[in-house]
Amino acid sequence: MRDMISAELPNFMPLHRQVKEILLRRIANGWKGAGEALPSESDLAADLEVSLGTIRAALGLLAADKVLVRQQGKGTYVTLHDEARILFQFQRLTPDAQARQFPESQVLSVNTEPPDAGDQAQLGLAVGEQVVKLRRTRSLGGLTCITELITLPVVLFPKIEAQDLPNNLYEFYSVHYGVRIAKAVEQLKAVGATANDSGHLGVPVGTPLLQIDRVAVDLCDRPVERRISRCLTDDYHYLSKLE
Amino acid sequence: MRDMISAELPNFMPLHRQVKEILLRRIANGWKGAGEALPSESDLAADLEVSLGTIRAALGLLAADKVLVRQQGKGTYVTLHDEARILFQFQRLTPDAQARQFPESQVLSVNTEPPDAGDQAQLGLAVGEQVVKLRRTRSLGGLTCITELITLPVVLFPKIEAQDLPNNLYEFYSVHYGVRIAKAVEQLKAVGATANDSGHLGVPVGTPLLQIDRVAVDLCDRPVERRISRCLTDDYHYLSKLE
DNA sequence: CAGTGGTCTAGACCACAGG
DNA sequence: CTGTGGTCTAGACCACTGC
């Protein structure tokens, strides 16, 4: 078994970490789709020829990374990017007085363009590589409060201009392009509304907005989406947990 | 053993969770101070009459919660709130072009006052309970870029007005008042600079600032500090990881 | 009922720190 | 060298799910 693992993954690691990486790689390659069940612990243990405890450690790590969901008595499933999960993991903007909710979206335009310097760096693009820029506005509780500019490498998302884009993009990426968002890093700043923001949000130029510059990565930590959101925060706040 | 645990902690939980809670309670009560080493795994196992694996699971949970730090070959230690750790866990405001650094502080005033409605709710104060309000400014790389208002229940921090307050408050709380900050929740908004902000930061009234409203809790999840920071973000950003 | 994941145990061996 | 935590194993029993 150690030999088999070494063949699949040369570098040294504890066994349970190696098992984790093997399973992660398999999942990233489409071995099991979102929502599908993995084989049982004992089947996996037999398959990979390691003990149950080692398999459990690996599955536990993947569950902690939110790649898998485990349910006693049922099985282990590949995480589904349904709205509830997106809301929990990625939607940090919350109404001050109510529960978190999924924002509605209105697409403004979709264009293939050359990337700017920031896109180039954040998405790790090859020289000359083109990107798709998706502009939209979003509303929470009926009030338009976000302008959004989404940048995607055209290589990963061919012909996305022709598609009908839903509200929940991460689920859409997964279903139509096999691109699964695993996590993201956001940089926040306070900025003044531009003329463009002003028109869409109905506030004066210079109004303080919360700008969120997000880079989302897939299961293998490759950056696949950049998203700049500019949000009105009079009745909303961004929630951040430090633990 | 089960009976002994039941005596210390009546409600049902898996054994390793119970062990975790027992150790957490002991630490919160000053059993071991910040930086001190815990007994070895086998000593703890013998003491609590559970298997090594169970002790390891409990210690692993506490390490994941950053209450403990484990070092192979040395031992298990209560987490120390040194600058490096504070920087890593609580200092999310980062220069755009440089590494994270610890901000310098200038104390403006320290006063005992009645709490406002927000303090009352966020800190879970008893009716009529007084608070200490600490106002200061902070600078990163020589430039004053943050105004800060810190609110503390006077019950937990008696005579703090008379103390000389250092830059690293969380370490100070731990050493002088036995209050150990474990984690925090922050609510972020974009706001316009007030006349007060304007004076301290040297920017026009209305300049967009990032307002961070933090409530920090101790090991037992009791809120112990509220802190409202208003930050210039021209050359800084707030880093948030979604995982 | 059978099959799943959840918990607990006991014991072995390894890697590392420090005298 | 001893003692620490880190890893791996094997096997037992429990709790939950769904037929």
Side-chain angles (χ1 to χ4, degrees), chain B:
Chain B
M1 170 53 191
R2 312 306 177 94
D3 301 331
M4 201 246 281
I5 289 181
S6 301
E8 273 198 70
L9 192 94
N11 306 351
F12 172 76
M13 277 181 183
L15 235 199
H16 63 272
R17 287 279 284 119
Q18 297 184 42
V19 171
K20 174 193 165 183
E21 295 302 329
I22 289 174
L23 294 176
L24 187 56
R25 187 175 300 196
R26 287 188 184 177
I27 293 168
N29 291 341
W31 175 47
K32 298 286 177 182
E36 272 189 89
L38 264 61
S40 74
E41 296 182 341
S42 26
D43 286 356
L44 282 171
D47 175 13
L48 297 177
E49 295 179 59
V50 296
S51 80
L52 242 184
T54 303
I55 288 290
R56 285 188 54 76
L59 294 177
L61 289 175
L62 289 168
D65 286 354
K66 301 189 176 59
V67 174
L68 300 178
V69 177
R70 315 194 68 191
Q71 286 175 260
Q72 183 174 107
K74 296 190 66 177
T76 303
Y77 299 84
V78 177
T79 297
L80 206 53
H81 271 191
D82 57 1
E83 296 216 348
R85 177 163 151 61
I86 295 273
L87 202 56
F88 186 74
Q89 184 175 7
F90 293 106
Q91 180 59 31
R92 291 304 224 271
L93 200 68
T94 312
D96 286 339
Q98 303 154 51
R100 237 180 296 194
Q101 47 188 275
F102 209 88
E104 303 286 322
S105 309
Q106 291 83 35
V107 175
L108 302 175
S109 66
V110 188
N111 301 106
T112 302
E113 303 177 14
D116 66 31
D119 300 332
Q120 186 85 35
Q122 303 276 32
L123 292 175
L125 300 173
V127 285
E129 197 175 338
Q130 296 282 97
V131 295
V132 175
K133 298 241 176 192
L134 159 61
R135 290 172 177 83
R136 61 180 186 173
T137 61
R138 312 195 78 183
S139 49
L140 278 165
L143 175 68
T144 299
C145 57
I146 306 175
T147 64
E148 207 160 68
L149 168 59
I150 296 172
T151 305
L152 303 166
V154 75
V155 180
L156 290 175
F157 299 92
K159 303 205 183 71
I160 199 172
E161 307 93 304
Q163 305 265 3
D164 203 27
L165 295 172
N167 209 0
N168 181 346
L169 281 179
Y170 288 178
E171 189 176 36
F172 176 84
Y173 296 163
S174 165
V175 172
H176 288 78
Y177 294 98
V179 172
R180 300 196 228 173
I181 304 296
K183 47 190 182 179
V185 173
E186 301 191 326
Q187 296 188 358
L188 281 69
K189 280 176 180 274
V191 300
T194 63
N196 179 54
D197 298 324
S198 168
H200 291 301
L201 304 178
V203 295
V205 171
T207 301
L209 299 181
L210 180 65
Q211 174 178 288
I212 306 171
D213 188 341
R214 173 194 294 178
V215 176
V217 302
D218 69 4
L219 291 175
C220 302
D221 263 315
R222 288 177 301 226
V224 293
E225 180 204 61
R226 184 179 186 211
R227 176 184 295 214
I228 299 179
S229 309
R230 298 157 73 91
C231 318
L232 261 182
T233 55
D234 291 338
D235 301 314
Y236 310 98
H237 62 266
Y238 180 101
L239 191 68
S240 174
K241 295 186 181 179
L242 314 182
E243 12 195 69

Side-chain angles (χ1 to χ4, degrees), chain A residues 13-67:
Chain A
M13 277 183 182
L15 236 199
H16 64 270
R17 287 279 283 118
Q18 296 184 44
V19 171
K20 175 193 164 182
E21 295 302 329
I22 289 173
L23 295 176
L24 187 58
R25 188 175 300 195
R26 286 187 183 177
I27 292 168
N29 290 342
W31 174 47
K32 298 286 177 184
E36 272 189 89
L38 263 61
S40 74
E41 296 181 342
S42 26
D43 285 358
L44 282 171
D47 175 12
L48 297 178
E49 296 179 59
V50 297
S51 80
L52 242 184
T54 303
I55 289 290
R56 285 187 55 75
L59 294 177
L61 289 175
L62 289 168
D65 286 353
K66 299 187 176 58
V67 174

Side-chain angles (χ1 to χ4, degrees), chain A residues 210-229:
Chain A
L210 180 65
Q211 173 177 288
I212 306 172
D213 188 341
R214 173 194 295 177
V215 176
V217 302
D218 70 4
L219 291 176
C220 302
D221 263 316
R222 288 177 302 225
V224 292
E225 181 205 60
R226 183 178 186 212
R227 175 184 296 213
I228 299 178
S229 310

Side-chain angles (χ1 to χ4, degrees), chain A residues 2-17:
Chain A
R2 312 306 178 95
D3 301 332
M4 201 245 279
I5 289 181
S6 301
E8 272 196 72
L9 193 96
N11 306 353
F12 172 76
M13 277 183 182
L15 236 199
H16 64 270
R17 287 279 283 118

